[in-house]
Amino acid sequence: MDMVVGRFAPSPSGRMHLGNVWSALLAWLSVRSQGGEMVLRLEDLDPDRCRPAYCDQLKDDLQWLGLDWDREQPRQSRRTAAYAAAFSKLESMGLVYPCYCSRADLHAANAPHASDGRLLYAGTCRYLTEQQRREKTKAPAWRLMVPDETVTFTDGLQGTISENLAADCGDFLIRRADGVYAYQLAVVVDDLEGGITEVVRGRDLLDSTPRQRYLYKLLEGMPPATYHVPLLLAADGRRLSKRERDLDLGILRNTLSPEALLGRLAALAGLLDRPEPISAGELVRYFHWNRVPRQDIFVEFGDFC
């Protein structure tokens, strides 16, 4: 049996919050419980949001928690050449086209929506003629054509998922108008080159998986196993966010020891009967995916302050 290779892939756009720690802990426990390899990758694609200072802070916070890693991949901001090569391959297959739509165009009232209300691209620029494209004056973004094809896969936690690429995803961006490569393309290229075999991330990213599996197919790679974990929600039902600084590590490190914090999260994950201090290493023997809940979890902030 091949060794499991998992990864942390935080974005250095702010201090990690409780939800980020939750996902990182479950990813780490899954890999360590299988005797696998853990990879760290800093996803700093967006130059407007990511800051170098946050990179060192992320590493320090992971080390404080006891969540170690075996190797580090180059930061995404240093891998433009790799993304460009994948983009060129897709372009040579005739699957990439320029999109000149503005944000207002994309939110037009007649734009199609997926069954869950997500906005789908209407395909406005897909069939422009070369003459029409030459008449455009703004720099385009670039989209990948998707077929009328259903992608079915089994998520390790959420079960069997089926999505039709055309009806549920639509043609999606792989490069922004400013030249920055989009998350969907970058993460697939990185996971392929990093030999990643298992991806653990929040349930809010579940709808990215069909698009990414389509990219794996086009780039002739094997997609990793996925486990999409429930989100931690505030009492009012909103997702925890870096912008709101919801229980970020700056707050948590001032109020709890790493063992106390991990014990509280382990109880939410069903790994312990009650919250009690425990180290990451000690938690490994309690970990199994059949104990982890599927549905989102409401968190009382007072339990962590």
Side-chain angles (χ1 to χ4, degrees), residues 5-284:
V5 182
R7 42 85 156 172
F8 299 127
S11 173
S13 57
R15 198 78 183 264
M16 283 201 301
H17 58 64
L18 189 68
N20 303 137
V21 177
W22 162 259
S23 295
L25 174 62
L26 293 175
W28 187 88
L29 288 172
S30 180
V31 168
R32 294 303 184 215
S33 68
Q34 300 173 80
E37 180 183 36
M38 198 73 202
V39 177
L40 174 66
R41 179 174 74 236
L42 297 175
E43 296 194 337
D44 59 345
L45 272 176
D46 191 336
D48 297 327
R49 297 176 60 243
C50 297
R51 300 286 183 271
Y54 289 134
C55 296
D56 293 335
Q57 187 66 73
L58 278 166
K59 292 181 182 181
D60 184 72
D61 284 337
L62 288 170
Q63 290 168 339
W64 179 80
L65 289 161
L67 305 180
D68 62 349
W69 55 94
D70 302 298
R71 60 181 167 94
E72 184 173 350
Q73 280 188 280
R75 297 176 188 176
Q76 287 186 329
S77 59
R78 301 171 183 173
R79 288 183 42 75
T80 302
Y83 308 142
F87 180 92
S88 294
K89 179 174 182 176
L90 298 171
E91 193 173 34
S92 71
M93 299 167 72
L95 297 175
V96 176
Y97 65 90
C99 175
Y100 302 90
C101 295
S102 66
R103 189 176 297 273
D105 294 332
L106 297 176
H107 287 83
N110 62 348
H113 290 74
S115 58
D116 61 1
R118 283 181 290 120
L119 184 70
L120 299 181
Y121 182 59
T124 307
C125 294
R126 184 172 183 170
Y127 301 108
L128 293 179
T129 65
E130 286 302 316
Q131 178 62 34
Q132 289 173 316
R133 289 171 180 168
R134 283 194 295 269
E135 292 171 355
K136 301 292 184 179
T137 57
K138 64 176 291 188
W142 295 83
R143 291 184 181 272
L144 182 70
M145 296 181 187
V146 300
D148 182 7
E149 177 181 304
T150 297
V151 173
T152 300
F153 63 96
T154 301
D155 185 76
L157 197 57
Q158 301 299 331
T160 300
I161 306 293
S162 291
E163 282 197 3
N164 181 275
L165 291 171
D168 298 318
C169 297
D171 296 346
F172 58 92
L173 289 178
I174 57 173
R175 196 172 79 188
R176 299 186 338 193
D178 61 4
V180 174
Y181 288 93
Y183 166 79
Q184 304 294 357
L185 179 63
V187 72
V188 169
V189 172
D190 289 341
D191 283 347
L192 275 173
E193 294 193 14
I196 305 302
T197 67
E198 178 179 288
V199 169
V200 177
R201 58 191 179 190
R203 198 167 67 88
D204 55 323
L205 290 171
L206 185 60
D207 65 356
S208 288
T209 306
R211 283 173 276 183
Q212 291 169 10
R213 291 182 74 94
Y214 177 52
L215 280 166
Y216 275 103
K217 177 181 176 181
L218 296 176
L219 297 175
E220 302 176 288
M222 178 67 69
T226 60
Y227 294 81
H228 285 83
V229 302
L231 304 179
L232 299 187
L233 305 178
D236 59 5
R238 64 181 175 82
R239 289 164 44 187
L240 305 186
S241 74
K242 291 179 181 178
R243 180 175 299 176
E244 300 295 332
R245 297 191 64 205
D246 286 318
L247 293 178
D248 72 19
L249 263 293
I251 297 169
L252 295 168
R253 287 180 66 161
N254 284 329
T255 58
L256 295 171
S257 68
E259 293 80 12
L261 174 56
L262 294 177
R264 284 164 169 76
L265 289 175
L268 291 178
L271 307 181
L272 298 179
D273 293 334
R274 59 184 180 276
E276 55 187 36
I278 190 169
S279 70
E282 292 172 320
L283 259 178
V284 173

